[in-house]
Amino acid sequence: MAKVSEIYGSMVFNEHTMQERLPSATYKSLLKTIKEGEPLDIEVANVVAHAMKEWAIEKGATHYTHWFQPLSGITSEKHDSFLDPCGDGRAIMTFSGKELIQGEPDASSFPSGGLRATFEARGYTAWDPTSYAFIKDEVLCIPTAFCSYTGEALDKKTPLLRSMSAIDEQANRVLALFGEPRQRVVTTVGSEQEYFLISEKDYEKRQDLIMCGRTLFGYAPCKGQELEEHYFGAIRPTVNEFMKELDDELWKLGVSAKTKHNEVAPAQHELAPIFTNTNRAIDENLLTMEKMRLLASHYGLVCLQHEKPFEGINGSGKHNNWSISAGKKNLLDPGDSPMDNLRFLVFLTGVIQAVDDYQELLRMSVASAGNDHRLGANEAPPAIISMFLGDELGAIVDALIDEHEYTNAEKVAMDLGVAVLPNFLKDNTDRNRTSPFAFTGNKFEFRMPGSAVNLSDCNMILNTAMAKSLKDFADAMEGLEGEQFEAAAIAYIKETLTKHQRIIFNGNGYSDEWTEEAERRGLANHRTTADALPCFVSPKSIALFEEFGVLSAAEVASRYEVKLEKYNKLLNIEARTMKRMVRRAYLPALNDYAAEVAGNITAIKAACASADVSPQNALLQKLLAGIKEIDTQLNRLDEAHHAAIEIEDQQERANEYAHNVISVMDALRAAVDAMEIITDRDHWPVPTYNDMLFYV
């Protein structure tokens, strides 16, 4: 096997490759575009395109594609070959600057939320030079933005890049107040990706997994996660081989896959990269998800990235570790004495203000049909947004608000009482796994995103909300210097923290008491996607996006419509799949088993008239009662489902699904699951949780 250092980034047209392949002047010009946002000259693009093509062909590429993120949330690509036929029957390989910079995929079949009529097909992709091109499956992939013929963003990358520009501008205004020169300010993200691996053979027998990504039926396994033995446990050999190939493929693509381990639930795992620029981090996460799905089949496995594929055990999240950097400085690093670090306190206060003011938008950004099953369960934070600051920062905030003296917490040495074990310094605060938005040393961990989500949405909102906080501070401090600035800044921090203190909660987010306390504080509690989505199009939200040029009112409305339609379509698919599985799999199997039990009773009585067949009769009665209950709930679901479909308004339809149809689906599931544990395994038509989660 090649050394990691030799293969790392080998399939990426990164800065190292650019420096090797490009003329010095071209390289410096391109670097200014990447690092400083300078416009890209077409002549520079032509030189870059030629070098990129030559490099890609040497690596075995035959095609190129503009790789983008439509509003569906997944990535899209249309492959064009480098081939250019000559008049004499030969062909050459060409790739121009224009082809690098701009593409024209058909936009009519992508969701647009009403921005475009379906017959209006033209759309454009535009090269994003801040995210490196890479080679995947003999194709040169060029990360791009995607917009309509009339200029509206039809993707998730464009508003993310706009939000990064907004936070760069406003953060530099704040840094200037501290006497710092203009510098590139970026947000950084490290995304912890959780996922399940199950046997391909089991997957192929579960129509619900194939159609919906989750099991719509399934009784709890005999052993779940209660023994707490899977988390960080020894990794199955087959899974380990998969993880090794995944590492190699990701390293070639420059994805800094760092940590891998078993997660809490059986058959659940996690991969975490080293943080990087938010735009690139999201591109790399989407690549990671794709590679996970494709490589699993090499080992007879299927990778499940749904937020809750199995009822009763942990679902899968994607923790978004978010911070802000200026050059090599982390602006959310408290330093040795955070109370004396005024710049840190300004940025910390900005985050607290942003999360409180736009808590509903953050909740909306992670809302999905799948995540509704996960949020509030014991492995995920509740649907109520709150912030965990920990002991030290919490004490600092209290001291600032109440104007009392703060005593700096000293580092405590931990002595484990065994001579051969080294002492180590204890962190100044513990972690809170129930918090949706927790400070973890020099960054915030947003724990609400589900495993299937594209992180562009939540980071776009985080960036824009933070830009708003920084703008408010910079506007208030404009023209102040020296001691006058420091006094005004401290007063501003105190006033802002007092106003937004309600969002800070360091306790148990799972407790019933917290739900009641959050309501008293006036915090939003949108339990379902249908409840959360309307805040996207509220005047407050639209004003935020328009103020910073991140989204227009029309672009906001389109995204709201796309999210609504996706939610309704997914629930429609789930309801249809449930009904079909019950009618064509579960009821026939139960009827066959009931007939077999009845036949056994008759046979036993014929052989021995005095035989006691009360156990068999009891089983038969349970089966017949269960079949009747399933039929009753099936009819209820059919009625509720059709009632939802007939509602024309998408929001009202979503409300109907969320508050009525899902409860009927749950009742049907319960009726079917109750039969699983009394039915002969040879008659049960699908693999059970015991089969799927505990494969060899």
Side-chain angles (χ1 to χ4, degrees):
M1 183 180 120
K3 293 181 180 178
V4 173
S5 59
E6 293 175 358
I7 66 170
Y8 188 83
S10 60
M11 305 302 279
V12 184
F13 198 72
N14 52 29
E15 285 182 33
H16 175 73
T17 305
M18 291 176 197
Q19 193 168 21
E20 284 186 338
R21 297 269 179 166
L22 297 175
S24 178
T26 304
Y27 171 69
K28 289 177 182 177
S29 178
L30 180 58
L31 219 56
K32 279 194 171 186
T33 297
I34 294 171
K35 301 286 188 183
E36 301 171 23
E38 293 287 328
L40 185 71
D41 183 83
I42 185 62
E43 294 304 320
V44 171
N46 281 326
V47 176
V48 173
H50 177 75
M52 196 182 283
K53 178 206 71 177
E54 293 298 305
W55 168 80
I57 290 172
E58 288 175 20
K59 295 286 186 179
T62 56
H63 291 67
Y64 69 92
T65 184
H66 278 198
W67 188 74
F68 60 100
Q69 305 168 32
L71 296 181
S72 60
I74 58 174
T75 58
S76 296
E77 50 195 71
K78 178 190 74 171
H79 301 172
D80 289 299
S81 74
F82 294 120
L83 194 71
D84 187 8
C86 301
D88 59 1
R90 294 178 301 143
I92 58 174
M93 306 291 262
T94 63
F95 185 50
S96 68
K98 182 180 178 182
E99 290 169 319
L100 169 62
I101 291 174
Q102 179 182 315
E104 188 197 336
D106 185 335
S108 62
S109 297
F110 291 104
S112 71
L115 276 177
R116 309 220 60 209
T118 54
F119 63 83
E120 295 174 319
R122 196 180 297 277
Y124 297 108
T125 48
W127 178 33
D128 169 21
T130 64
S131 188
Y132 300 137
F134 57 91
I135 296 171
K136 174 174 67 78
D137 303 324
E138 292 78 49
V139 178
L140 173 65
C141 298
I142 303 157
T144 55
F146 179 42
C147 68
S148 72
Y149 180 70
T150 47
E152 295 96 349
L154 292 176
D155 67 340
K156 293 179 179 287
K157 179 185 278 282
T158 301
L160 176 69
L161 291 172
R162 293 170 181 169
S163 75
M164 293 183 72
S165 294
I167 205 168
D168 175 50
E169 179 182 348
Q170 300 306 323
N172 268 293
R173 290 183 65 203
V174 172
L175 293 175
L177 294 167
F178 287 91
E180 298 192 29
R182 170 86 194 172
Q183 55 201 298
R184 183 75 166 178
V185 177
V186 298
T187 54
T188 59
V189 162
S191 51
E192 304 170 32
Q193 178 73 48
E194 296 175 344
Y195 60 98
F196 281 83
L197 291 173
I198 65 167
S199 165
E200 233 173 6
K201 293 178 180 178
D202 289 336
Y203 175 83
E204 290 166 357
K205 298 173 184 175
R206 296 282 317 211
Q207 193 175 35
D208 46 4
L209 282 175
I210 294 170
M211 297 293 176
C212 310
R214 75 180 183 102
T215 53
L216 302 175
F217 302 96
Y219 196 84
C222 297
K223 180 179 77 168
Q225 59 193 53
E226 64 270 23
L227 293 180
E228 299 172 339
E229 60 186 355
H230 193 255
Y231 190 56
F232 282 21
I235 299 171
R236 289 183 178 108
T238 304
V239 172
N240 193 52
E241 289 300 312
F242 159 78
M243 288 180 169
K244 286 196 292 185
E245 185 179 0
L246 178 63
D247 278 342
D248 285 347
E249 290 300 307
L250 292 178
W251 289 336
K252 290 176 187 176
L253 293 167
V255 179
S256 55
K258 176 74 171 176
T259 303
K260 56 186 180 182
H261 59 83
N262 285 349
E263 255 300 334
V264 173
Q268 187 185 34
H269 314 280
E270 180 180 298
L271 182 147
I274 299 172
F275 71 90
T276 188
N277 170 307
T278 299
N279 178 41
R280 195 175 304 154
I282 291 168
D283 282 354
E284 291 179 357
N285 176 252
L286 294 169
L287 258 180
T288 298
M289 294 172 69
E290 179 184 314
K291 284 295 181 183
M292 284 177 171
R293 294 191 298 268
L294 295 177
L295 296 179
S297 64
H298 295 181
Y299 303 91
L301 301 172
V302 170
C303 177
L304 303 178
Q305 293 170 348
H306 191 282
E307 292 86 351
K308 195 76 171 179
F310 302 101
E311 188 70 25
I313 61 172
N314 280 14
S316 294
K318 176 150 47 192
H319 304 157
N320 188 82
N321 294 282
W322 178 86
S323 193
I324 312 171
S325 294
K328 294 184 179 180
K329 299 186 299 288
N330 183 342
L331 299 177
L332 292 181
D333 188 344
D336 295 331
S337 182
M339 187 62 168
D340 301 324
N341 186 343
L342 183 59
R343 187 186 68 189
F344 165 73
L345 291 176
V346 167
F347 278 86
L348 174 66
T349 301
V351 178
I352 293 170
Q353 176 188 341
V355 173
D356 186 26
D357 278 345
Y358 297 102
Q359 53 180 285
E360 292 182 89
L361 267 181
L362 284 173
R363 166 67 183 96
M364 182 282 305
S365 73
V366 300
S368 69
N371 215 21
D372 283 355
H373 295 286
R374 170 180 165 267
L375 291 179
N378 286 341
E379 81 283 1
I384 304 166
I385 296 280
S386 66
M387 298 180 70
F388 170 81
L389 297 183
D391 299 335
E392 185 172 15
L393 290 189
I396 289 171
V397 169
D398 290 342
L400 288 166
I401 292 173
D402 300 333
E403 296 184 337
H404 64 71
E405 186 176 348
Y406 166 74
T407 304
N408 189 24
E410 294 183 2
K411 292 284 186 179
V412 178
M414 299 286 284
D415 184 352
L416 299 180
V418 181
V420 297
L421 296 179
N423 293 345
F424 60 92
L425 292 177
K426 183 172 76 169
D427 289 318
N428 58 24
T429 188
D430 203 350
R431 290 191 174 194
N432 187 332
R433 311 307 284 176
T434 72
S435 175
F437 204 89
F439 189 74
T440 56
N442 59 6
K443 62 186 183 303
F444 280 94
E445 183 181 28
F446 188 30
R447 296 176 55 82
M448 292 182 79
S451 52
V453 75
N454 182 326
L455 290 173
S456 293
D457 287 344
C458 67
N459 284 290
M460 177 265 291
I461 289 167
L462 269 174
N463 292 345
T464 312
M466 185 60 178
K468 173 65 173 171
S469 297
L470 296 175
K471 181 178 184 295
D472 289 348
F473 177 80
D475 289 347
M477 299 294 116
E478 206 81 73
L480 301 179
E481 296 179 354
E483 293 182 0
Q484 190 181 19
F485 163 66
E486 289 185 12
I490 291 170
Y492 183 95
I493 289 169
K494 178 183 183 302
E495 180 184 351
T496 305
L497 290 176
T498 302
K499 181 180 178 181
H500 298 287
Q501 190 178 15
R502 66 174 185 168
I503 200 71
I504 300 170
F505 177 66
N506 291 337
N508 180 7
Y510 293 156
S511 68
D512 294 335
E513 292 78 12
W514 166 234
T515 303
E516 297 167 3
E517 171 65 20
E519 186 175 358
R520 283 193 293 271
R521 293 187 185 191
L523 300 179
N525 184 7
H526 298 308
R527 297 177 183 274
T528 74
T529 295
D531 301 329
L533 289 182
C535 76
F536 202 178
V537 287
S538 70
K540 178 181 176 181
S541 299
I542 292 172
L544 172 71
F545 294 127
E546 289 194 323
E547 180 176 358
F548 295 97
V550 171
L551 290 170
S552 67
E555 288 171 330
V556 173
S558 73
R559 281 152 177 76
Y560 164 69
E561 291 295 334
V562 168
K563 286 178 178 290
L564 265 182
E565 287 181 8
K566 183 173 182 179
Y567 177 79
N568 289 334
K569 287 174 180 177
L570 285 173
L571 266 296
N572 177 52
I573 291 168
E574 287 193 355
R576 293 176 66 188
T577 303
M578 282 194 92
K579 291 190 292 184
R580 182 162 298 193
M581 289 181 73
V582 168
R583 288 169 176 152
R584 301 185 64 180
Y586 291 112
L587 281 178
L590 289 167
N591 283 322
D592 284 348
Y593 184 50
E596 182 178 298
V597 172
N600 287 342
I601 293 171
T602 301
I604 292 170
K605 293 295 288 182
C608 180
S610 61
D612 181 5
V613 291
S614 56
Q616 290 86 343
N617 273 319
L619 173 59
L620 181 59
Q621 292 307 313
K622 286 181 182 178
L623 287 168
L624 294 175
I627 290 168
K628 182 178 180 181
E629 176 65 11
I630 291 170
D631 186 64
T632 298
Q633 298 304 334
L634 175 62
N635 290 329
R636 284 187 63 216
L637 176 58
D638 198 47
E639 183 179 336
H641 181 210
H642 281 98
I645 292 173
E646 290 172 5
I647 298 173
E648 291 188 9
D649 183 86
Q650 290 291 329
Q651 181 64 58
E652 290 181 14
R653 184 184 298 181
N655 293 341
E656 182 68 16
Y657 274 124
H659 302 300
N660 294 317
V661 177
I662 287 177
S663 62
V664 182
M665 291 170 67
D666 290 342
L668 177 56
R669 174 180 187 143
V672 172
D673 290 354
M675 294 294 97
E676 180 183 319
I677 53 172
I678 65 169
T679 302
D680 182 283
R681 65 176 297 161
D682 291 337
H683 281 271
W684 199 247
V686 298
T688 66
Y689 279 18
N690 283 338
D691 300 322
M692 291 185 288
L693 295 172
F694 298 95
Y695 61 89
V696 177

